[in-house]
Amino acid sequence: SQTIHQWPATLVQPVGSPLSLECTVEGTSNPNLYWYRQAAGRGLQLLFYSVGIGQISSEVPQNLSASRPQDRQFILSSKKLLLSDSGFYLCAWTPSTREQYFGPGTRLTVT
Amino acid sequence: GENVEQHPSTLSVQEGDSAVIKCTYSDSASNYFPWYKQELGKRPQLIIDIRSNVGEKKDQRIAVTLNKTAKHFSLHITETQPEDSAVYFCAASRGTGNQFYFGTGTSLTVIP
C-alpha cells in the first residue's frame, strides 16, 4: 500500500533562518506531488505541484521554493523565513486514479 | 483558472439532524470533485468523491450530488453525530496531472 511521510512533524525557527521540509511517498511510482500551506483556522493554499522529477509549478510568488530530486521525494525550502511563513505545511500526492491524499503535515512556527 | 466557492463557512446542527454544504465551481472542464474532512490539528482526509459522469454518490450517512449544468455540488450528512464535527473542504480538479482547487472550508459543529 502507499504511504506518505513528512518530516519534521513540528518546527520552530527564528525569522531569517533557512527552511527545509521533506516529503516522501512509498509504494508508488511517478506520483503527482503537491505542497500546501494552511494558516491557523484558514483554508488550503497551493504552493507548488510537480508531475515529475525536476518539474515544478509554482502557484503563489513566495520566498519559498520546491525541488523534486527523486521520483518520490518533494522538498520545500526557504533561504530566509518570514513571520508570515508560519503555518501547517501539507504534502499531498495523487495516483493515476486522481484521488489526492495528504501527508501528516509539518507545523511550522516562525518566531 | 478554476474558482471554487463554498457555503456556509460555519454550520451548527443538533445531533441527529442533517447537514448540507454547498460548493460552486467555474471551470466546465473540471471533472472530479472530492470532499475532505479535517479534524483539529490533523491532515484532511478524503471522505467521498464524485466524478462528472455521475450525478449522485452515497456512502452510508454521507452523500454527494453534482449538477454539471449549474456547476455546483453538495455534501449531505444525515443523522449527524458529534464525531462529525470538523472542517469540511470541497475541491475541483480537471483530473490526473492537474491541480486541485479547494473551497474555503465549512466548520461543522454537531451539538449533542
Side-chain angles (χ1 to χ4, degrees), chain A residues 21-36:
Chain A
L21 303 181
E22 189 166 343
C23 170
T24 59
V25 182
E26 294 179 355
T28 187
S29 59
N30 198 30
N32 293 334
L33 296 171
Y34 306 78
W35 277 113
Y36 292 89

Side-chain angles (χ1 to χ4, degrees), chain A:
Chain A
S1 64
Q2 301 90 356
T3 308
I4 181 168
H5 301 281
Q6 283 187 250
W7 62 88
T10 60
L11 191 58
V12 179
Q13 292 283 95
V15 168
S17 64
L19 174 74
S20 181
L21 303 181
E22 189 166 343
C23 170
T24 59
V25 182
E26 294 179 355
T28 187
S29 59
N30 198 30
N32 293 334
L33 296 171
Y34 306 78
W35 277 113
Y36 292 89
R37 177 169 62 198
Q38 188 174 36
R42 304 294 295 275
L44 297 160
Q45 180 188 27
L46 178 64
L47 301 175
F48 302 96
Y49 72 101
S50 171
V51 298
I53 295 174
Q55 300 178 63
I56 309 293
S57 296
S58 174
E59 289 304 304
V60 183
Q62 303 276 352
N63 65 322
L64 302 171
S65 61
S67 62
R68 185 168 176 175
Q70 300 179 45
D71 181 43
R72 290 171 289 175
Q73 184 185 33
F74 204 20
I75 297 172
L76 182 69
S77 304
S78 174
K79 292 182 179 179
K80 287 187 178 181
L81 284 168
L82 307 172
L83 282 174
S84 58
D85 290 324
S86 293
F88 191 36
Y89 286 79
L90 290 155
C91 180
W93 76 283
T94 303
S96 59
T97 48
R98 290 190 283 182
E99 299 91 354
Q100 185 166 94
Y101 299 99
F102 288 88
T106 295
R107 195 162 302 280
L108 171 66
T109 303
V110 182
T111 61

Side-chain angles (χ1 to χ4, degrees), chain B residues 85-99:
Chain B
S85 295
V87 177
Y88 292 80
F89 292 97
C90 64
S93 171
R94 286 188 175 189
T96 304
N98 287 279
Q99 59 180 287

Side-chain angles (χ1 to χ4, degrees), chain B residues 24-84:
Chain B
T24 61
Y25 63 100
S26 60
D27 185 357
S28 57
S30 290
N31 55 21
Y32 175 65
F33 307 93
W35 285 89
Y36 290 84
K37 174 184 180 182
Q38 186 177 28
E39 297 176 345
L40 192 63
K42 298 188 176 180
R43 76 182 91 179
Q45 297 273 16
L46 178 67
I47 56 172
I48 195 167
D49 57 12
I50 192 166
R51 302 178 198 275
S52 59
N53 58 343
V54 297
E56 184 174 359
K57 183 176 178 180
K58 190 173 182 180
D59 183 4
Q60 299 183 341
R61 295 187 298 109
I62 60 173
V64 57
T65 58
L66 171 66
N67 183 326
K68 287 189 294 182
T69 303
K71 295 197 187 72
H72 68 71
F73 56 111
S74 301
L75 177 70
H76 305 253
I77 307 174
T78 59
E79 300 172 23
T80 53
Q81 301 168 3
E83 51 265 38
D84 294 328

